[in-house]
Amino acid sequence: MIREEGESDLVTWPHDVTLSNGRKNGQSASFASPREQVGRPAICRGYRAGLLTMADYNNLSQCETLDDVKLSLTGTDYASYLANVPSPLHTSAIVEKCTEKLVDEYNFMLSQVSEPLSTFLEYLTYGHMIDNVVLIVTGTLHERDVHELLEKCHPLGMFDSIATLAVAQNMRELYRLVLVDTPLAPYFSECLTSEDLDDMNIEIMRNTLYKAYLEDFYQFCKGIGGATAELMSDLLAFEADWRAVNITINSIGTELTRDDRRKLYSEFGLLYPYGHEELAATEDFDGVRAVVEKYPPYQAVFAKLSFGESQMLDKAFFEEQVKRLTLVFEQQFHYAVFYGYFKLREQEIRNLMWIAECVAQNQKTRIHDGIVMTF
Amino acid sequence: MPDDDSHQKQLEKEVWKCLDSVHHLLKRREILLQTLRQGWMELTSARYAMGPARISSPLFSLKPHAPSSVVDVRGLPSDSTGGNSAVEVENEPDGITVVFDLVRDRAENDPKTSVTKTSDFTGSDRGQPPSHLRRRVTSTISNDDEKKDQWEIESLLNDCGTEFGDESSLAEAPKETTQPLYWFGALVSPHLRSAQNSFSQALDLIVELVNAQNEATHAHSNVLKFQKATSVDEN
């Protein structure tokens, strides 16, 4: 029975999902009101209807120039954002405007929700925050201008004192001067060293932070409980496994030791812990394949690749991710639709970037190598 | 007439050489184009996998560092040149052959120094003796050039007011070569490595192409020369 609007006590829904006040381990969280129970996900589902379809991608594949791409997008949700972009167009301009739309939608949704959904939405930005921190630190190491670097930062990952990152000489200073007042502060406990910031240490810092963030997000979703916990656990476990595979492949042939590699894997997911042990010891792509193919959900990913081929692995993983993200919309009354929507939008922007680059480089035969259809 | 026949044969030989060199040039150009296209697509694939912000121009390093590749220009007496790519011009009084080499730093992925010995062309019609040919490899620059560079660096230091513990170490050319791949992170996508390999190959091909072009130009001028000689004989 539903209580009065505005009350946040026990609410029972027809599907026997019991929501209680507060957020405790194993218990599900409450929405502030039935409006939030239905209204906010409904906004998200409405936005989902604006994602590009196969017909849109087919039109885009026929474009000869970037101006044609802009023209094709006038019939989509991106119309108002691309309308005033002057010619000649660049790929980066298209990506920037599409990202602007994503950010506007995120900010609108964030302004409409309350706890714990607002915290959930904020978690979606922490990954971008980590990327921005690494971008500023790396660029400063390479003696670049801070303003130039700030322009390249992802808008969802911006915070007030981000420009101050340029003065830090090591990770301890990074934390003490800037990051202690940001949501990333709790993730720094494993990174606090006085080692200088060089390329390898920065990369280790990036992956260590991301690992801590994913584990924290995972625990937060578990705390929410219900369908949110069930769906988000699966999605985040997939992301953790994918990260482990990427770290392994990218570190082959580098000076990253096995122990260091092992420390960068998240402590959850299908591959944890035995798969991680094997991945840490692999030295080539076929070894990675042999490890991951033992897990049935990932057999379909590698089934698309021929033996020894690693070029299409990214697309195969993106396709698997999109398949899982579209399934979250089949269930009701959970937060995973927000996660699913924003991840699908990011994939869409990736698709548009790929299409624009293929058109700009006159490589139209390669367009379909990078498009991952959402619906 | 024996002279006419020999000129005719020489002309035919030069025409074949010219056609071969043009074919070589066009082939090199096509391979360069394909290699560059492949490199750019791999770069796009890397941006797709890693994200556009992680591979962008603001991450290029502006720190001073030694070049990873240098073009070594040497002038050699033509009697010391060898190899199939040597182009000799008859009746040239000064036997000077200019050789282009691409020398890579040993710190790159390829453990062996890759020296692409490119085709030759004569420098005699350039009017410059080999001692005045400028070498871009820092260890062999002339004393005058070295002093000039030293003075320029010191004046730059004075202007900027930069203080370093050891100014003399700054005045020397930096010995360390950075690996551009690591500008984008220590753990980068295999697509980015593949893109770097493609652009590295393209650098070799560009040097080959330049010299193939010079060779073709020279072969063409030889054909015209022998054609003229043949037509004089006929008259």
Side-chain angles (χ1 to χ4, degrees), chain A residues 91-93 95-96 131-132 134-136 138-140 142 144-154 206 353 357, chain B residues 40 43-44 46-48 50-62 180-185 188 192:
Chain A
T91 308
S92 55
V95 172
E96 193 184 310
D131 287 339
N132 287 350
V134 172
L135 177 71
I136 299 283
T138 306
T140 307
H142 296 157
R144 303 296 304 213
D145 181 45
V146 174
H147 296 100
E148 202 179 359
L149 296 168
L150 287 173
E151 283 174 16
K152 280 291 175 182
C153 288
H154 198 288
R206 180 211 302 273
M353 186 212 73
E357 286 281 356
Chain B
W40 283 113
L43 192 63
T44 304
R47 296 184 81 215
Y48 181 85
M50 294 169 63
R54 283 193 64 184
I55 301 177
S56 55
S57 52
L59 288 171
F60 294 171
S61 177
L62 293 182
L181 195 66
Y182 296 140
W183 293 346
F184 307 104
V188 294
L192 196 63

Side-chain angles (χ1 to χ4, degrees), chain B residues 88-156:
Chain B
E88 296 175 1
V89 177
E90 292 184 355
N91 301 325
E92 289 292 339
D94 300 325
I96 299 163
T97 307
V98 179
V99 176
F100 291 93
D101 290 336
L102 187 69
V103 180
R104 293 191 187 279
D105 191 301
R106 290 178 190 274
E108 276 199 349
N109 283 338
D110 191 0
K112 295 180 186 176
T113 301
S114 162
V115 176
T116 305
K117 185 142 193 212
T118 51
S119 64
D120 308 336
F121 70 97
T122 58
S124 58
D125 53 351
R126 309 282 170 164
Q128 284 189 356
S131 60
H132 287 179
L133 289 170
R134 186 179 173 86
R135 289 196 68 175
R136 296 180 185 277
V137 177
T138 55
S139 58
T140 56
I141 56 176
S142 67
N143 285 335
D144 288 339
D145 289 334
E146 191 173 349
K147 283 179 186 170
K148 187 179 169 192
D149 287 345
Q150 184 91 2
W151 179 85
E152 280 176 354
I153 290 167
E154 283 173 2
S155 66
L156 187 66

Side-chain angles (χ1 to χ4, degrees), chain A residues 132-199:
Chain A
N132 287 350
V133 166
V134 172
L135 177 71
I136 299 283
V137 170
T138 306
T140 307
L141 189 72
H142 296 157
E143 299 183 6
R144 303 296 304 213
D145 181 45
V146 174
H147 296 100
E148 202 179 359
L149 296 168
L150 287 173
E151 283 174 16
K152 280 291 175 182
C153 288
H154 198 288
L156 282 180
M158 296 298 279
F159 51 92
D160 289 335
S161 49
I162 190 169
T164 324
L165 287 167
V167 304
Q169 298 296 320
N170 56 49
M171 290 185 224
R172 205 173 285 277
E173 278 186 18
L174 206 61
Y175 174 76
R176 188 174 57 82
L177 293 174
V178 185
L179 297 173
V180 65
D181 296 321
T182 66
L184 301 181
Y187 307 146
F188 254 80
S189 57
E190 292 182 38
C191 291
L192 275 181
T193 65
S194 298
E195 286 186 34
D196 284 343
L197 293 166
D198 61 20
D199 290 326

Side-chain angles (χ1 to χ4, degrees), chain A residues 119-327:
Chain A
T119 302
F120 182 91
L121 287 180
E122 283 168 4
Y123 266 100
L124 301 183
T125 65
Y126 295 171
H128 296 298
M129 227 177 259
I130 292 168
D131 287 339
N132 287 350
V133 166
V134 172
L135 177 71
I136 299 283
V137 170
T138 306
T140 307
L141 189 72
H142 296 157
E143 299 183 6
R144 303 296 304 213
D145 181 45
V146 174
H147 296 100
E148 202 179 359
L149 296 168
L150 287 173
E151 283 174 16
K152 280 291 175 182
C153 288
H154 198 288
L156 282 180
M158 296 298 279
F159 51 92
D160 289 335
S161 49
I162 190 169
T164 324
L165 287 167
V167 304
Q169 298 296 320
N170 56 49
M171 290 185 224
R172 205 173 285 277
E173 278 186 18
L174 206 61
Y175 174 76
R176 188 174 57 82
L177 293 174
V178 185
L179 297 173
V180 65
D181 296 321
T182 66
L184 301 181
Y187 307 146
F188 254 80
S189 57
E190 292 182 38
C191 291
L192 275 181
T193 65
S194 298
E195 286 186 34
D196 284 343
L197 293 166
D198 61 20
D199 290 326
M200 183 53 82
N201 287 339
I202 289 172
E203 196 65 40
I204 291 175
M205 178 184 79
R206 180 211 302 273
N207 285 287
T208 307
L209 286 176
Y210 208 90
K211 170 192 168 183
Y213 151 65
L214 265 190
E215 288 169 359
D216 186 39
F217 194 13
Y218 184 78
Q219 292 304 323
F220 173 77
C221 295
K222 280 274 194 192
I224 291 175
T228 301
E230 181 190 340
L231 294 166
M232 286 303 299
S233 297
D234 179 59
L235 292 172
L236 292 177
F238 175 79
E239 187 165 347
D241 292 339
W242 186 8
R243 272 195 71 249
V245 170
N246 264 343
I247 287 169
T248 310
I249 290 174
N250 293 348
S251 62
I252 289 171
T254 68
E255 55 193 38
L256 191 72
T257 62
R258 285 183 184 182
D259 287 337
D260 286 339
R261 188 196 282 180
R262 176 68 186 82
K263 285 178 194 167
L264 299 181
Y265 299 150
S266 301
E267 290 179 5
F268 67 99
L270 201 60
L271 297 178
Y272 174 77
Y274 305 111
H276 287 175
E277 296 297 331
E278 292 181 52
L279 276 179
T282 52
E283 296 295 339
D284 56 20
F285 175 76
D286 294 325
V288 171
R289 185 187 193 130
V291 169
V292 180
E293 270 186 334
K294 291 178 194 169
Y295 298 84
Y298 300 130
Q299 284 175 354
V301 173
F302 284 89
K304 298 174 189 175
L305 308 172
S306 54
F307 193 76
E309 181 192 354
S310 63
Q311 298 297 312
M312 304 301 291
L313 183 66
D314 295 308
K315 189 187 173 193
F317 267 105
F318 280 128
E319 283 175 344
E320 179 67 22
Q321 185 189 43
V322 163
K323 193 172 81 177
R324 291 168 187 240
L325 291 171
T326 51
L327 287 175

